[in-house]
Amino acid sequence: MLAKLTYFYSVNAKSRSYKLPTKTKNKTENRLIYMTTQVVKKHMVVAQNASGRNMNVPIYRMKGARPGPTVYIQSSIHGAEVQGNVVIYHLIQRLKDMDICGEIILVPNCNPIGTNIKAGEYTLGRFDPVNGTNWNRGYFFDKGAVEHFAKTVTREESIEGIKQRFRAHLSNAIDNKLAEPWGLGLAQQLNLKLQQMAVNADFVLDLHNGPVSTRHVYIPEYAKDSAKLFNIPHCIFIPNVFAGALDEATFCPWWTLQESIKTNLAREISFNVEAFTLEMGSQEVIDFNEGNIDATSILSYLNAKGVLHECDIKPKAMQRLGVYLKDYKTLFTNWGGMVEYMAKPGQTVKKGEPLAQILNIDDLDTDNGSRTLEAPCDLIPILHFPSASVLSGTQLYKVFTNYREL
């Protein structure tokens, strides 16, 4: 019984569901009880190509027999950032053998359009090619509407009651946005369809990669304590400011609602909704071993949040460094040239130490043929531009400054 998977096929031939029996032990009665983890796979149409054919994304829903939170995890909203798909693969394989509380929704390769935009060996999947929009900047948030909703909350209303009403409000707002009579750009259509799946989640994880990057995570300031639940060494704390990304579109409404209720009713509320952008190394590559490491990191977070029953995965004891977003600096170039990146992502660099060696093609016969770019202050490079050929005004490095140990 335990080794057998039973498949239940739905009317939609592209969808299937199955139950995975998992063995747990009732300690008080000293006997075996069989819990089942339900796994449902479906496909959702996110776009149509120029031939009018549908482009689909797979959606894996893993539901446990026990009540608990809802989790939403997606990967590859930027087409070249593919490592998150391997992480989701490991998560599914490992979660099948775990006792899940609540539901986990996983959407790998959530942007098939971006993944297929190639120029030679490169994936140009960061921007909608038709409208030029960043694929991760079309999610929805209306601060004024949230503040108006907050005025309908009474002092006596339960937290669960508020959450239920507010989620219905958010879902309806996204539906109305998708029904815009003048239409929406491709990136925003995709973003809103994904956001609609995430709107009922308590915890949202958006899996990304940098160009050439070390692991780092964006964390809302109110959820600082959760930084230590991931096995990620570099943490960026971000304010309640919406710039269009999925993590912001998730936590900004709840953060704004909490603050508005506090202002209106002098009532302190925590809705315990969190969202993060996890950057798991460099784009255009996948590494199965590293993916399993990141899956363990995510499982340690989920376990701490009550998503897994009787699970022994805990965060690693490790050094974690944090900065506020204002201290996460971008180093732009005021020159063009060919570059050797001397400072590697994650490396500690002191003021005046070399970051890059620059080759100037027009001066190869002089002492100006090469020069060194030095660090303007103590810093830690987190990522750098992927190409050795650099135009003036390029974002050469993104770095931690004024960082501290958590």
Side-chain angles (χ1 to χ4, degrees), residues 258-299:
Q258 287 177 187
E259 293 303 302
S260 296
I261 292 173
K262 181 179 178 180
T263 299
N264 296 343
L265 301 175
R267 180 182 175 186
E268 295 277 359
I269 286 181
S270 176
F271 291 110
N272 296 316
V273 175
E274 297 182 352
F276 309 91
T277 294
L278 279 61
E279 305 271 359
M280 298 165 301
S282 304
Q283 63 189 27
E284 290 280 41
V285 294
I286 64 171
D287 185 314
F288 277 80
N289 289 332
E290 293 296 313
N292 200 28
I293 291 171
D294 284 310
T296 300
S297 174
I298 291 172
L299 290 172

Side-chain angles (χ1 to χ4, degrees), residues 234-236 321 323 327-328 378-380 382 399-401 403:
H234 301 102
C235 307
I236 304 165
L321 302 175
V323 297
D327 292 319
Y328 185 43
D378 292 353
L379 53 82
I380 298 176
I382 300 299
V399 303
F400 275 19
T401 66
Y403 53 88

Side-chain angles (χ1 to χ4, degrees), residues 232-251:
I232 298 179
H234 301 102
C235 307
I236 304 165
F237 300 116
I238 53 179
N240 186 28
V241 176
F242 180 67
L246 178 62
D247 59 344
E248 299 158 349
T250 301
F251 68 69

Side-chain angles (χ1 to χ4, degrees), residues 71-85:
V71 179
Y72 176 83
I73 304 174
Q74 71 176 33
S75 64
S76 291
I77 191 64
H78 291 137
E81 300 177 19
V82 292
Q83 178 66 10
N85 300 314

Side-chain angles (χ1 to χ4, degrees), residues 252-390:
C252 281
W254 294 100
W255 194 344
T256 301
L257 182 60
Q258 287 177 187
E259 293 303 302
S260 296
I261 292 173
K262 181 179 178 180
T263 299
N264 296 343
L265 301 175
R267 180 182 175 186
E268 295 277 359
I269 286 181
S270 176
F271 291 110
N272 296 316
V273 175
E274 297 182 352
F276 309 91
T277 294
L278 279 61
E279 305 271 359
M280 298 165 301
S282 304
Q283 63 189 27
E284 290 280 41
V285 294
I286 64 171
D287 185 314
F288 277 80
N289 289 332
E290 293 296 313
N292 200 28
I293 291 171
D294 284 310
T296 300
S297 174
I298 291 172
L299 290 172
S300 74
Y301 171 78
L302 297 182
N303 190 32
K305 294 298 180 179
V307 180
L308 304 175
H309 180 68
E310 292 189 351
C311 174
D312 60 0
I313 299 176
K314 292 182 171 56
K316 287 172 56 178
M318 61 184 292
Q319 184 185 59
R320 294 174 176 85
L321 302 175
V323 297
Y324 288 101
L325 186 61
K326 64 182 178 62
D327 292 319
Y328 185 43
K329 300 292 188 181
T330 301
L331 179 63
F332 292 89
T333 65
N334 56 10
W335 42 263
M338 310 292 178
V339 174
E340 175 191 356
Y341 299 93
M342 301 174 71
K344 306 305 179 186
Q347 173 187 342
T348 300
V349 179
K350 297 294 184 182
K351 180 178 180 179
E353 291 183 346
L355 288 176
Q357 186 83 9
I358 304 149
L359 186 69
N360 189 331
I361 300 300
D362 282 341
D363 289 310
L364 298 184
D365 57 340
T366 73
D367 292 340
N368 296 324
S370 73
R371 62 189 178 91
T372 301
L373 176 67
E374 297 178 346
C377 65
D378 292 353
L379 53 82
I380 298 176
I382 300 299
L383 59 84
H384 66 68
F385 192 64
S387 174
S389 302
V390 174

Side-chain angles (χ1 to χ4, degrees), residues 198-263:
V199 77
N200 288 317
D202 300 285
F203 309 115
V204 173
L205 307 181
D206 195 8
L207 310 186
H208 284 251
N209 299 96
V212 178
S213 173
T214 189
R215 288 183 177 94
H216 55 292
V217 56
Y218 290 88
I219 298 173
E221 288 180 4
Y222 71 83
K224 283 181 187 176
D225 290 345
S226 291
K228 296 181 181 180
L229 302 179
F230 296 101
N231 301 329
I232 298 179
H234 301 102
C235 307
I236 304 165
F237 300 116
I238 53 179
N240 186 28
V241 176
F242 180 67
L246 178 62
D247 59 344
E248 299 158 349
T250 301
F251 68 69
C252 281
W254 294 100
W255 194 344
T256 301
L257 182 60
Q258 287 177 187
E259 293 303 302
S260 296
I261 292 173
K262 181 179 178 180
T263 299

